[in-house]
Amino acid sequence: MRQDNGMVHIMKAIEAMSTKHKEHIEAYDPTQGADNARRLTGLHETASIDKFSYGIAHRGCSIRIPRQCEKDNKGYFEDRRPASNCDPYTVTNRVVKTMCLGQ
């Protein structure tokens, strides 16, 4: 992702994550989504808990790609869905399963 033409890999990762939105929402919140349901309303620069979205420099979507990454055609993306009280190991496990293992 951080090498030349890394946007291809970023988009593949985002596509994989879009197919597992519900599983990610459950893993990103210790109450399986109940806490995030109050936060991810689609208002106040948050995405809706019910809909997966991504965008360039868009803070109101599930996955945000920084503008500089688009310009450089490489970099990283931000998953804006994890709750502040999430278990980072559970979140990492879910991301690796989706992006690396295809599960």
Side-chain angles (χ1 to χ4, degrees):
M1 290 183 192
R2 294 183 182 250
Q3 296 178 5
D4 290 341
N5 297 315
M7 282 297 286
V8 171
H9 301 288
I10 289 171
M11 295 310 295
K12 284 182 183 177
I14 290 171
E15 177 60 32
M17 292 178 87
S18 74
T19 65
K20 298 288 186 178
H21 178 66
K22 183 175 185 272
E23 290 89 340
H24 281 255
I25 290 295
E26 290 172 359
Y28 289 1
D29 178 344
T31 59
Q32 284 70 47
D35 290 341
N36 262 348
R38 290 191 297 269
R39 184 177 68 86
L40 296 176
T41 62
L43 303 172
H44 312 295
E45 296 187 338
T46 65
S48 170
I49 195 168
D50 300 315
K51 182 181 174 200
F52 181 86
S53 60
Y54 72 93
I56 307 296
H58 186 333
R59 292 186 289 181
C61 58
S62 306
I63 304 287
R64 178 182 174 271
I65 302 168
R67 192 172 311 282
Q68 189 66 40
C69 296
E70 178 191 37
K71 180 182 175 204
D72 295 344
N73 198 31
K74 63 181 177 182
Y76 64 98
F77 63 88
E78 303 167 3
D79 190 342
R80 299 178 53 84
R81 300 171 294 172
S84 62
N85 61 341
C86 70
D87 177 346
Y89 298 102
T90 302
V91 171
T92 301
N93 180 49
R94 183 68 256 173
V95 170
V96 169
K97 279 183 175 180
T98 299
M99 290 177 34
C100 300
L101 304 177
Q103 299 177 3

